[in-house]
Amino acid sequence: MAIAIAIGVPAGILITRVNKLSSTVIGIANAIQAVPSLALLGFLIPFLGIGTVPAIVMVFLYSLLPIIKNTYTGLSNVDSAMIEAGRGMGMTDSQLMRMVQLPLALPVIMAGVRISAVTGVGLTTLAALIGAGGLGQFIYRGISMVNNQMIVAGAIPAMILALLVDFALGLVEKAVTPKGLKNTNGKEVEA
Amino acid sequence: MIKFENVAKRYGDTTVIKDLNIEINDAEIAVLIGPSGCGKTTTLKMINRLIEPSSGAIYINDQNILKADPIELRRNIGYVIQQIGLFPHMTVEQNIGLIPTLKNWPEDKKTARIRELMELVGMPPEEYMSRYPNELSGGQQQRIGVARALAADPDIILMDEPFSALDPITRVQLQDELFNLQQELHKTIVFVTHDMDEALKLGDRICIMRDGEVLQFDTSENLLRHPAHGFVEEFIGKKRMWQQPEYIKAEDIMITNPIKATPSRTLTQALEIMSSSSVDSLIIVDDKNKLLGIVTAKQVRSNANKAKRLEEIYERDIVSVKLDDSMADILKLMAQNDVGYVPVTDEQGRLRGLITRSSLVNVLGDRYVGEE
């Protein structure tokens, strides 16, 4: 997950800077997303074998798209007047990115990270198929034994885990969102 | 001094600025105005190189800015844009301190400067420093915008329609504040607007542009009185001058052919002249048309000896005004001295016209009523 952020955000930044790349990069990320997850797992086995490593790689690949896409959308939707104000005050490109564009795009980028995290948790249950263990094991055992209780025993904790991750990231998002961008409830603004 | 030399800007086949040659003096407010698409904002943005000219050169204090480092250049030019210009994710303090931060000022110097500027624009630092822009009203935001532009004490400030998003009352208030600030600070301000009232109010000189060309760059008074171009007159509005009493001069409201007489005329002749021209006073001039005084019908009649000459009785101690005295001053003068008429002279003291109460009523009546 951290790796996905580490690669996805810079990739998103890069394609905002170099516009020509944007459709290619987003296209590739889209294509990966479009591969059925089961097929992707199977496809990875010849290269990475079975176990935890291919499971992590799969989750990483699926996480990329929402992060890249949201970073790109977030950055390209920053008001051009803001960018011009920054540039007009003598910011270099990197200062502009660090001090203006990234902070303003942060809520959208964080939304991408949350989507990635939740789908990621859901996906890891599949990893049981290639022997990575985890909650998925209960689910598959339950399916093969036609034991609904066992399916539920795996599914519910997985759901709770996903919700917890989302909740935790929600807190992170709140903490990192610049205060001035939040609604200021009830504060008087006098003329 | 900012100097544009043969500056042109083209985007593909369209020419936005054609051969621009203007000079903006130090410590003046130069207003760029014109209909949308006239190139005023483009001109402004070329000064801090947000837009690069296609050809020509721009000099600031004889330095060609096209050869300067744009980042450094911009940090030394204040820039105020519409309301949206404040960064919403930064506090008032961070917004104002932005350029000092970029310039790596020491923290204490920066804080002191921020406080000073907030006082200057009338926003108590204790109350507002840690607020975010969305907690401020539009007028307050723009005050912070002005403070931010002043932060590094630049000589030049560029303002791109800074007040256009404000309500009319706040706008007038901020215009006044800017005007007062300028009396203290003497910055070179380039101000873009589409509001002629704002331009007349703030501009030391106004540059009227259309289709990428400068039609006239002059003081507001000259624009009103001597528009160089039909469009200038139309753009300013023909009636505008009459709404600015300080720009209405004696020559605009005087009668140009007053009835006059030389001092050697006899009183009988004087009465004859007055009755044939239906006036009740004569202006006394010498043979070179130099103003000497005035005589009224009453003075003439009260003298039994009609063979006397005017030179013996005419009033020498009179008030007169010059051609370029303003109407406001003339009205004041007439009220103070309780006179119903004032002769108008040129610099050499020669009579050029006469203003009387009835001529004022006629002239102003024509202007205000006749045009409606």
Side-chain angles (χ1 to χ4, degrees), chain B residues 52-316:
Chain B
E52 301 276 359
S54 310
S55 61
I58 302 168
Y59 299 91
I60 293 179
N61 299 331
D62 298 324
Q63 301 275 315
N64 187 346
I65 61 165
L66 300 174
K67 295 195 173 99
D69 172 20
I71 301 291
E72 200 48 40
L73 176 80
R74 290 174 194 150
R75 287 181 188 175
N76 291 311
I77 295 180
Y79 187 38
V80 186
I81 60 180
Q82 288 191 23
Q83 200 163 349
I84 199 103
L86 293 182
F87 295 118
H89 59 294
M90 296 184 188
T91 61
V92 164
E93 183 182 5
Q94 289 166 330
N95 264 295
I96 299 179
L98 196 67
I99 290 185
T101 306
L102 295 175
K103 287 186 150 193
N104 290 319
W105 284 18
E107 208 58 35
D108 49 342
K109 183 180 169 194
K110 198 167 83 186
T111 316
R113 181 68 181 154
I114 291 168
R115 287 178 166 276
E116 184 190 339
L117 285 167
M118 291 191 68
E119 299 283 357
L120 190 69
V121 297
M123 307 263 298
E126 293 71 29
E127 194 177 336
Y128 291 107
M129 242 162 102
S130 49
R131 295 231 193 150
Y132 285 91
N134 66 0
E135 299 168 334
L136 304 176
S137 69
Q140 291 172 328
Q141 290 186 14
Q142 207 47 280
R143 282 193 191 98
I144 300 301
V146 172
R148 183 174 69 176
L150 291 170
D153 203 19
D155 295 325
I156 297 173
I157 297 173
L158 308 180
M159 305 183 100
D160 189 1
E161 306 205 14
F163 306 142
S164 61
L166 304 173
D167 63 89
I169 296 172
T170 316
R171 192 185 310 149
V172 169
Q173 214 176 337
L174 269 118
Q175 287 165 353
D176 290 342
E177 286 174 24
L178 177 69
F179 188 83
N180 294 336
L181 267 182
Q182 172 67 355
Q183 304 307 309
E184 255 177 75
L185 300 172
H186 307 293
K187 301 287 182 194
T188 306
I189 299 177
V190 186
F191 192 107
V192 166
T193 182
H194 57 257
D195 176 356
M196 197 65 212
D197 291 308
E198 187 167 74
L200 289 171
K201 188 165 171 188
L202 292 172
D204 292 310
R205 288 196 300 153
I206 299 171
C207 182
I208 299 190
M209 299 180 70
R210 189 183 64 173
D211 301 334
E213 281 178 304
V214 172
L215 297 179
Q216 192 170 5
F217 186 24
D218 217 328
T219 60
S220 46
E221 193 182 330
N222 278 336
L223 285 176
L224 289 169
R225 300 183 55 83
H226 311 292
H229 192 284
F231 176 77
V232 172
E233 199 175 342
E234 195 182 310
F235 190 72
I236 299 173
K238 282 190 174 127
K239 284 169 102 174
R240 178 90 52 176
M241 190 175 100
W242 298 91
Q243 290 161 11
Q244 313 254 344
E246 64 267 37
Y247 292 147
I248 304 175
K249 303 299 184 195
E251 60 182 321
D252 300 320
I253 48 174
M254 68 188 186
I255 310 167
T256 49
N257 51 349
I259 309 304
K260 53 199 180 185
T262 51
S264 54
R265 295 272 190 190
T266 63
L267 298 194
T268 320
Q269 286 174 323
L271 280 175
E272 182 50 36
I273 296 172
M274 283 191 236
S275 71
S276 68
S277 316
S278 351
V279 293
D280 59 359
S281 61
L282 284 177
I283 298 172
I284 311 298
V285 292
D286 66 11
D287 50 359
K288 293 191 181 64
N289 203 25
K290 194 166 159 22
L291 177 71
L292 296 173
I294 208 159
V295 72
T296 62
K298 214 166 124 196
Q299 283 172 309
V300 177
R301 285 200 197 92
S302 63
N303 268 284
N305 181 1
K306 295 287 188 282
K308 266 191 184 171
R309 292 186 188 274
L310 283 175
E311 60 196 350
E312 293 169 59
I313 65 160
Y314 77 84
E315 182 71 55
R316 288 174 171 81

Side-chain angles (χ1 to χ4, degrees), chain B residues 249-260 279-284 291 293-295 318-321 323 330 334 339-345 350-360 363:
Chain B
K249 303 299 184 195
E251 60 182 321
D252 300 320
I253 48 174
M254 68 188 186
I255 310 167
T256 49
N257 51 349
I259 309 304
K260 53 199 180 185
V279 293
D280 59 359
S281 61
L282 284 177
I283 298 172
I284 311 298
L291 177 71
I294 208 159
V295 72
I318 55 163
V319 283
S320 68
V321 293
L323 280 173
I330 295 168
M334 287 172 78
V339 289
Y341 38 79
V342 275
V344 182
T345 64
R350 285 191 297 258
L351 181 73
R352 299 293 298 272
L354 176 70
I355 296 169
T356 67
R357 288 202 176 126
S358 60
S359 79
L360 271 176
V363 172

